[in-house]
Amino acid sequence: MKRPPVPNFFIAGMPRCGTSSMVSYLKQHPDVYLSPYKEPHFFAKDLNMPTNYIWKHELYLSLFKSASGKKAVGEASVWYLSSRLAAGMIWEFDPEARIIVMLRDPVEQMVSLHSLWVRSGNEPVRDFVEAIELEEKRKRGLALSPSVYFPYGLFYTEVADYFPKVKRFWDLFGARRIHVILFDDFVRRMPEVYRGTLEFLEVDSGFEAELDVESAAKKIQTQALLHLRHVHPDIREMLKAGMRKLDSVAPPRTPLPAEVEERLRKRFREGLCCLEE
């Protein structure tokens, strides 16, 4: 009996680092299949994710029913990197899986994540500096308003501490099966980074995708609708319920006070040096 298709690669994080764009570019490739439900977070059961994530095995596998004949089958869940369980669970699922990690300057990542949370209602504190000062209280379950739906996401400096998170995957999968993409490279050298990702996935790296975000999204829209016809009905209902609506007004991006930025950069300096080695 032919084995049903299952994922063999995972875009494991981080949030606000270009994952959505990469997904729209990879979906165009004829040898690549990506889950039509972005961010199922099936392997991140320790993070107390919001209810629109997928915990049931049957539902998760239904995401890949349309992947027959594809060489690279994957999904993108940006909080896998932060999960203490996900690396081990993915390794048990497939020790030969390929892992794509997308990273960004940690201070820029935190500021961008804060802006997203303000717009989605997860963060009631509109001032970024004030929000990061509340982190230790929030870890103790304090300073959390009723609107907060994902408390872990508000631990900004912990989220942006990349090295221990990436190391969990390195220790299990080895460097050969980990592909790290830096956000600045992704933005400035997109065709080259995209080609390198295709090489990592061992599919035709000569394929030319539409690398404009809006045009790419339109290009894969019909494909996404076709794939959704084959997923479990419960997932279609989850999609109808919709992701949280974003407030159209983002908080103003005011420059960080120099002393705050230096304190944050000092915190991450050692881990970033380890990642570069």
Side-chain angles (χ1 to χ4, degrees):
M1 185 181 224
K2 188 176 180 181
R3 183 190 180 195
V6 294
N8 55 31
F9 81 90
F10 300 84
I11 303 179
M14 295 288 294
R16 312 306 291 168
C17 293
T19 301
S20 294
S21 297
M22 178 59 85
V23 166
S24 67
Y25 304 153
L26 288 175
K27 278 187 173 184
Q28 297 174 53
H29 197 288
D31 293 328
V32 177
Y33 176 92
L34 272 148
S35 163
Y37 191 97
K38 188 174 180 289
E39 302 188 1
H41 284 103
F42 177 73
F43 297 102
K45 292 179 169 60
D46 58 321
L47 287 184
N48 194 24
M49 305 293 290
T51 55
N52 56 328
Y53 295 106
I54 295 171
W55 305 134
K56 294 182 180 178
H57 192 255
E58 176 191 5
L59 297 186
Y60 182 68
L61 292 184
S62 82
L63 296 174
F64 309 100
K65 283 186 176 180
S66 298
S68 296
K70 302 292 186 179
K71 187 172 183 181
V73 178
E75 56 115 323
S77 295
V78 296
W79 293 98
Y80 279 160
L81 213 63
S82 293
S83 166
R84 295 182 180 277
L85 297 180
M89 292 182 69
I90 293 172
W91 186 84
E92 290 178 3
F93 181 81
D94 181 3
E96 300 297 311
R98 290 173 167 81
I99 310 297
I100 296 172
V101 174
M102 303 188 73
L103 303 178
R104 185 176 188 173
D105 174 277
V107 176
E108 292 180 7
Q109 190 270 346
M110 286 190 293
V111 172
S112 181
L113 184 61
H114 171 262
S115 177
L116 173 69
W117 289 150
V118 169
R119 293 165 64 205
S120 71
N122 192 45
E123 174 59 270
V125 179
R126 296 181 68 86
D127 181 75
F128 172 67
V129 176
E130 183 182 347
I132 59 173
E133 295 297 337
L134 289 172
E135 185 170 328
E136 292 307 315
K137 282 187 177 180
R138 286 169 160 177
K139 286 180 179 178
R140 301 196 302 271
L142 306 173
L144 296 170
S145 79
S147 68
V148 173
Y149 58 86
F150 183 34
Y152 177 82
L154 302 179
F155 305 161
Y156 297 102
T157 60
E158 182 174 325
V159 169
D161 188 9
Y162 302 147
F163 178 68
K165 298 172 174 59
V166 176
K167 188 175 184 296
R168 281 196 286 266
F169 282 86
W170 269 341
D171 288 347
L172 287 170
F173 291 92
R176 188 172 63 87
R177 294 197 170 273
I178 308 286
H179 183 60
V180 176
I181 299 171
L182 302 180
F183 182 78
D184 284 349
D185 291 339
F186 185 53
V187 171
R188 295 171 185 167
R189 302 186 291 109
M190 198 172 294
E192 181 182 342
V193 171
Y194 180 67
R195 186 166 58 252
T197 305
L198 298 181
E199 291 172 354
F200 172 71
L201 295 175
E202 296 187 349
V203 296
D204 178 16
S205 60
F207 175 77
E208 294 186 7
E210 171 58 68
L211 298 181
D212 173 79
V213 176
E214 292 185 6
S215 299
K218 291 177 182 177
K219 195 167 186 177
I220 62 174
Q221 190 173 29
T222 302
Q223 174 201 95
L225 291 172
L226 288 171
H227 290 167
L228 281 172
R229 291 167 62 184
H230 298 286
V231 302
H232 195 282
D234 287 358
I235 292 177
R236 291 199 292 273
E237 288 303 313
M238 291 167 70
L239 284 167
K240 285 180 185 177
M243 305 301 281
R244 294 178 184 272
K245 186 178 179 180
L246 297 182
D247 187 333
S248 60
V249 180
R253 292 289 188 92
T254 54
L256 284 178
E259 66 276 11
V260 174
E261 181 171 357
E262 176 54 30
R263 171 163 54 88
L264 291 173
R265 294 199 178 282
K266 184 177 180 180
R267 172 184 174 129
F268 300 121
R269 198 165 288 144
E270 183 178 349
L272 291 175
C273 288
C274 292
L275 280 173
E276 291 171 357
E277 291 176 357

